[in-house]
Amino acid sequence: MTLVDNAHPDTPGRPAMRIEMTKPLFAWDALEDSPTLKTIRQLLDVIPDQPLIESVQTARGKGRDDVPVRVAWGVLLLSVALRHTTIEACLAELRRNESLRKLIGIESEDSVPQKWNLSRFLDTLGREPHLTDLHGIFDAMIERLGSVVPDLGRNTAGDATSLNARRMRGRRAEAEQQEGLPQASGGRKEYTDAEGNVTKVLTWFGFKLHLLVDVKHEVSLAYRITDTKAGDGETLPEILADAQANLPEGRIETLAYDKAADTNEVHKLLSRNHIKPVIQNRSLWKEEQERMLPGHDGNSNIVYDEAGTIYCYDRVSQPIVRHKMSYIGHEPSRETLKYRCPAKHEGWECPMSKVCNAGKSYGLTVRVPRDIDLRRFPVLPRATKKFERLYKGRTAVERVNARLKIFWGADDGNITGSRRFFALLGIILVVHAGFATLLAMAPRRTGTLGQTKLTPIAKALYGKVTPPAPRRPRPTPSGERQACFRFAG
């Protein structure tokens, strides 16, 4: 969206937010509870929405244009960005706030749309090809961030969350189903303890939102909306493909997920894409506690458990003692995991050493072929400190979900119908990506005198700003001329 700014035509204005140099690149705690007009103007400018605007205008044709497309689109963005509980609350603020009206091209109080105009516009955005164009805005913004933030998407995590909504009835619901949109339905999720006992039950009526986010920066990289019955492992391939398309090739190195993604298909997919899975294993062994490694007979003392942890037995001591073998690393050329004698590697005495190590100074070496079971033997074994550290990154998804659901109202449950719900959630994700861009562009405070400077990443983002084609400036109430700027798509 191209908006006016008081800066020089060839020098785009800087974001109103100024963040301490010690803050993270995406300092989500620095977001303003009540964004200023300058922040809102900057947010609208970083959204590459021109293809969507043109698509809706083309579809409208020569029909009624009581509410311009750009105005209706601007109202929906403001209702999310300003954290209004309803669209009606945003319209009420527009009627009494002249400066805010002018940001989205509303000339007078009488020109403010009615709530049914926005309801119909949401319904339009939920149809194809507009819904795909809306998703494309989010993808374009993440692709832009990924091109300038070198570690965005390196370590990722995914999860699904419940979202409340209302279901359309009658012919309108049938029309939505024919368009391929799932309908709101009842969902149920059970939480169990280590023994498998149900400790908590969550029920809701609506949809599921599947997210793939960056663990470090807490930025959404891809999303999908499904009905409540869709499994996480079934949706993960589509989300992963979207994230890979939004990021430079080979950027994603690890993917953390809960047990819902612990399937053979998911592990094969990640292995083909050279992504390290950080996925907790499902408990499927009913009676067995451990198994012998293939190629080892009853005389061997090497076993593995259901999580893929390799153990060796000290059969000399009484009683017999089991030790976890030392993980050395992954051998890509052999596609094996390398383990060694824990006593030799860690420097302690083992009564079984003479039998196992046979005079080797480095101790017994065991290579485990990963093709035995990709679920059981991932590139990064579960019984390692690195796996535990990366798995904790899944909490980043919960924080992103909280911002979407609580901060920007994705879980209000006030939307009826799949079209409107899909469109509103797409707008919320666009606003999320927009604020992420502003945070990355924000000048940083460098001293006690309030001096600020741009980081290299912010400069790179500003490098994607180009002045628009010459156009006749619109006069302000003071008579001064204002310059326009926009982001390159």
Side-chain angles (χ1 to χ4, degrees):
M1 179 177 291
T2 303
L3 295 171
V4 296
D5 194 281
N6 290 326
H8 187 272
D10 297 327
T11 307
R14 294 183 178 181
M17 292 182 291
R18 285 175 171 79
I19 305 173
E20 300 295 336
M21 183 62 74
T22 55
K23 289 279 189 178
L25 176 64
F26 297 93
W28 293 104
D29 60 342
L31 285 180
E32 302 162 332
D33 289 334
S34 298
T36 63
L37 287 175
K38 184 173 183 180
T39 300
I40 297 171
R41 181 169 59 245
Q42 293 285 344
L43 173 67
L44 297 176
D45 276 305
V46 300
I47 298 176
D49 53 11
Q50 193 60 32
L52 174 65
I53 300 298
E54 294 176 353
S55 175
V56 178
Q57 287 177 339
T58 301
R60 178 176 290 186
K62 296 182 180 180
R64 294 182 61 178
D65 196 24
D66 298 339
V67 179
V69 174
R70 191 171 293 280
V71 169
W73 169 249
V75 172
L76 293 178
L77 289 176
L78 289 182
S79 65
V80 175
L82 297 179
R83 301 173 58 192
H84 287 294
T85 55
T86 61
I87 295 178
E88 291 92 328
C90 181
L91 294 174
E93 181 174 354
L94 286 171
R95 292 188 185 97
R96 62 177 177 266
N97 192 329
E98 179 181 2
S99 299
L100 190 62
R101 288 200 302 267
K102 290 186 177 299
L103 282 180
I104 58 175
I106 301 177
E107 297 297 334
S108 64
E109 180 181 346
D110 295 335
S111 301
V112 175
Q114 301 296 326
K115 61 180 181 180
W116 54 81
N117 297 130
L118 278 304
S119 179
R120 294 169 181 171
F121 186 72
L122 262 182
D123 191 85
T124 299
L125 289 182
R127 303 169 184 260
E128 293 295 348
H130 312 315
L131 190 59
T132 298
D133 293 335
L134 179 58
H135 202 297
I137 296 175
F138 171 83
D139 292 337
M141 299 175 74
I142 299 303
E143 184 177 357
R144 184 170 61 198
L145 284 174
S147 65
V148 299
V149 182
D151 60 347
L152 182 67
R154 182 173 299 167
N155 296 318
T156 64
D159 201 1
T161 188
S162 60
L163 294 178
N164 291 284
R166 301 174 184 177
R167 185 169 185 166
M168 196 73 72
R169 299 182 180 276
R171 295 181 178 179
R172 300 182 66 178
E174 295 177 0
E176 291 179 344
Q177 288 179 322
Q178 292 176 358
E179 295 170 7
L181 294 178
Q183 296 297 299
S185 58
R188 176 186 174 91
K189 183 176 182 180
E190 296 182 351
Y191 296 86
T192 59
D193 56 19
E195 287 74 27
N197 301 317
V198 178
T199 59
K200 179 182 177 181
V201 176
L202 172 66
T203 59
W204 78 97
F205 190 88
F207 300 90
K208 288 178 72 173
L209 172 64
H210 304 260
L211 283 182
L212 192 67
V213 308
D214 178 272
V215 168
K216 177 182 177 182
H217 300 300
E218 299 180 8
V219 174
S220 299
L221 305 175
Y223 73 93
R224 289 281 176 171
I225 311 168
T226 67
D227 59 21
T228 58
K229 306 301 186 292
D232 296 5
E234 302 170 2
T235 313
L236 180 57
E238 298 179 0
I239 306 177
L240 180 60
D242 290 346
Q244 289 177 311
N246 293 340
L247 297 170
E249 185 177 359
R251 174 67 63 82
I252 301 178
E253 295 181 0
T254 65
L255 173 60
Y257 221 104
D258 58 18
K259 298 178 182 180
D262 185 35
T263 64
N264 291 325
E265 292 73 17
V266 169
H267 282 273
K268 291 178 181 178
L269 173 66
L270 298 181
S271 181
R272 288 195 302 268
N273 288 273
H274 306 288
I275 299 174
K276 298 177 181 178
V278 187
I279 304 173
Q280 286 285 13
N281 69 301
R282 293 178 294 156
S283 298
L284 301 177
W285 293 0
K286 301 303 181 182
E287 299 179 357
E288 297 176 282
Q289 297 296 322
E290 58 189 33
R291 294 177 181 177
M292 299 288 297
L293 271 176
H296 293 253
D297 54 23
N299 297 322
S300 174
N301 64 335
I302 308 299
V303 298
Y304 68 96
D305 63 8
E306 190 172 11
T309 306
I310 306 298
Y311 297 94
C312 63
Y313 274 97
D314 171 14
R315 296 185 295 189
V316 174
S317 300
Q318 293 298 327
I320 296 176
V321 181
R322 188 179 74 170
H323 300 290
K324 184 172 67 175
M325 296 197 71
S326 298
Y327 175 66
I328 303 302
H330 172 235
E331 299 175 311
S333 59
R334 298 182 177 182
E335 272 304 302
T336 57
L337 305 179
K338 187 176 181 180
Y339 292 85
R340 279 183 177 166
C341 169
K344 286 290 186 179
H345 188 74
E346 300 170 11
W348 48 274
E349 294 294 330
C350 176
M352 193 78 174
S353 180
K354 293 183 179 179
V355 179
C356 296
N357 299 326
K360 298 178 182 178
S361 59
Y362 49 82
L364 173 67
T365 299
V366 175
R367 288 185 170 88
V368 182
R370 293 189 58 240
D371 57 9
I372 294 176
D373 191 339
L374 293 178
R375 286 183 54 240
R376 208 76 62 200
F377 303 109
V379 173
L380 188 61
R382 296 180 176 92
T384 58
K385 292 183 178 179
K386 185 175 182 180
F387 180 94
E388 295 177 358
R389 174 174 58 83
L390 291 174
Y391 189 74
K392 291 179 180 178
R394 286 186 59 251
T395 58
V397 189
E398 299 175 1
R399 289 188 288 274
V400 173
N401 281 331
R403 293 188 192 102
L404 297 178
K405 297 170 70 172
I406 301 174
F407 200 77
W408 289 310
D411 196 33
D412 287 348
N414 296 323
I415 301 299
T416 301
S418 300
R419 291 174 186 160
R420 297 172 184 174
F421 183 85
F422 275 56
L424 181 61
L425 197 57
I427 294 171
I428 292 174
L429 267 298
V430 166
V431 171
H432 165 76
F435 275 118
T437 304
L438 290 190
L439 290 174
M441 293 174 59
R444 302 282 165 150
R445 297 185 185 275
T446 59
T448 58
L449 299 179
Q451 298 176 348
T452 61
K453 70 175 183 179
L454 296 177
T455 64
I457 290 177
K459 293 179 180 178
L461 281 172
Y462 275 110
K464 294 181 177 291
V465 179
T466 58
R471 57 183 296 183
R472 185 170 58 185
R474 184 174 58 185
T476 62
S478 62
E480 296 177 352
R481 290 188 172 185
Q482 298 179 319
C484 300
F485 69 92
R486 68 181 179 186
F487 264 84

